[in-house]
Amino acid sequence: MDDAARPDDGTAPAYAARPAHIGEAEWRARVDLAACYRLAGRHGWDDLIYTHVSLRLPGRDDAFLINPFGLAFAEISASNLLVVDTRGQVIDGTGRRANPSGFAIHGAVHRARSDAHCVIHLHTTAGIAVSALAEGLLPLSQHALRFWHDIAYHDYQGLALGAQEQAQLVAELGDHRAMILRNHGTLTCGRTVAEAYVLMHTLEKACAIQLAALAAAQGGGGLHVPPAEVLERSHAQLTADSEPEGALEWPALLRGLLREDPGFAR
């Protein structure tokens, strides 16, 4: 059945018609990735044209979808995404431009983690602010508890990300699905676009809540941190499901985006 003809049962959105030269699995991947870009842009998570979301091409370990260099998140659509190799070089024959240096972090994570199909790296105000705090992410909210003792850190070493730093970054990431890059930003990786997006949404909200709480505490109020046993139990509860996070949220997000900003799916 063509994607455009799929019935809408209220849980799954109807995808746009698929171009004949693109296979069904790749088109679905493109639609999901374009939706992620548009949703991120609507949240104000973009940084002009300088951050990225990448996705491994279905069935390939050496090819990835990413945004064309120079387009804003709000301009990304399923059909204008680029295909790049492990070095961030465009291999789709279109002659369009990617940002190889912007793909350096993404490529390192994709190469090191076979389960990291989607990688999101952002420079949000809240994320960078928390990354600049010596204590990093604090367990001040239920959102933050998703990452209690379950988030990696990487110290800032400058603009260039050479082979040595790439190796260091992926070693620090380990099997975590989220990382705070000190004085730089945040990163999440997921088995699906939905998982990477929902993890970033949770992390971004945790950072914003922390900044608000710290600001309020400056006015004379104290901060309350739950007991250690509560932190451990809550994190275990929040991560008990072994299935990729975001499976329930993603169809609803796509339905909303199709109503309000359908250009992503063309």
Side-chain angles (χ1 to χ4, degrees):
M1 181 184 296
D2 192 305
D3 288 342
R6 292 171 64 234
D8 185 356
D9 62 2
T11 61
Y15 286 84
R18 171 172 55 86
H21 68 285
I22 297 178
E24 182 175 343
E26 179 178 338
W27 184 245
R28 290 182 182 231
R30 285 174 170 270
V31 169
D32 279 344
L33 185 57
C36 188
Y37 273 106
R38 295 286 183 110
L39 288 166
R42 289 163 74 88
H43 282 300
W45 292 354
D46 50 350
D47 183 14
L48 297 179
I49 59 171
Y50 296 108
T51 52
H52 310 278
V53 186
S54 59
L55 178 64
R56 183 176 279 117
L57 207 61
R60 298 275 299 271
D61 290 328
D62 59 346
F64 308 87
L65 295 167
I66 200 166
N67 52 324
F69 196 32
L71 292 188
F73 281 15
E75 299 178 284
I76 302 302
S77 67
S79 59
N80 68 21
L81 289 161
L82 300 178
V83 181
V84 299
D85 63 16
T86 56
R87 298 172 295 125
Q89 301 295 323
V90 178
I91 57 172
D92 59 16
T94 62
R96 293 176 297 166
R97 185 183 179 196
N99 181 4
S101 63
F103 188 70
I105 291 174
H106 295 254
V109 175
H110 282 303
R111 289 191 297 272
R113 291 273 298 270
S114 61
D115 64 329
H117 292 295
C118 181
V119 177
I120 302 176
H121 169 47
L122 301 178
H123 301 157
T124 67
T125 300
I128 296 173
V130 169
S131 81
L133 297 175
E135 60 268 36
L137 186 66
L138 297 170
L140 299 178
S141 66
Q142 183 166 281
H143 290 77
L145 296 190
R146 164 60 185 83
F147 306 103
W148 174 242
H149 289 167
D150 192 15
I151 190 166
Y153 288 85
H154 176 70
D155 286 343
Y156 187 70
Q157 299 179 32
L159 295 179
L161 190 77
Q164 182 175 349
E165 187 179 354
Q166 288 181 23
Q168 180 184 347
L169 185 148
V170 297
E172 292 162 342
L173 179 63
D175 60 359
H176 298 298
R177 298 201 177 277
M179 170 175 265
I180 289 177
L181 290 84
R182 296 285 193 181
N183 312 101
H184 184 174
T186 53
L187 179 144
T188 58
C189 55
R191 291 162 286 183
T192 62
V193 173
E195 181 168 53
Y197 175 84
V198 167
L199 285 170
M200 183 59 78
H201 188 278
T202 304
L203 179 56
E204 176 68 15
K205 193 160 187 177
C207 289
I209 291 168
Q210 176 169 323
L211 296 177
L214 291 174
Q218 291 296 313
L223 292 174
H224 179 268
V225 177
E229 62 270 19
V230 174
L231 301 179
E232 296 288 351
R233 182 170 67 251
S234 299
H235 173 72
Q237 292 169 335
L238 289 166
T239 58
D241 192 345
S242 62
E243 294 301 310
E245 297 175 50
L248 289 176
E249 298 93 334
W250 194 244
L253 290 168
L254 286 181
R255 290 194 300 272
L257 200 57
L258 281 168
R259 289 191 300 269
E260 299 169 11
D261 189 13
F264 79 94
R266 63 169 184 258

